[in-house]
Amino acid sequence: EAARERAAVREREGAWTRVRGIYGGAPLYERPVARRLGEGSAAEIKDLEAAMLLSPDSRADADGVLSASGGLIGRHSVGQE
């Protein structure tokens, strides 16, 4: 019974969060700032993310920047290794 009450409370809180978001409260979604993909334009970051997700060799370097296929994708454009 206690678990059901906690679930009901979470559900009500979630509903109020949505209502507040709709009517000018805190944003319901905020794009992550640091995604460990390095820097670049929105299009470059999108390409970098796709390369990282599609590469079976994706790894983070010592600085935490993600890399794919043995080349640092967060430091320069994909395909310019």
Side-chain angles (χ1 to χ4, degrees), residues 16 19 23-24 27 33-35 43-44 52 54 59-60 65 69 71 79:
W16 278 113
V19 168
Y23 292 102
V33 177
R35 295 176 50 207
E44 290 171 331
M52 187 275 308
L54 295 173
R59 300 286 183 269
V65 177
S69 302

Side-chain angles (χ1 to χ4, degrees), residues 59-76:
R59 300 286 183 269
D61 68 7
D63 296 327
V65 177
L66 296 171
S67 65
S69 302
L72 292 177
I73 64 168
R75 301 258 168 82
H76 51 75

Side-chain angles (χ1 to χ4, degrees), residues 1-8 10:
E1 186 61 35
R4 287 184 186 181
E5 180 59 30
R6 289 190 307 269
R10 286 192 309 272

Side-chain angles (χ1 to χ4, degrees), residues 26-45:
L28 297 175
Y29 174 77
E30 293 182 15
R31 186 172 187 86
V33 177
R35 295 176 50 207
R36 299 187 319 164
L37 294 170
E39 296 182 14
S41 69
E44 290 171 331
I45 294 297

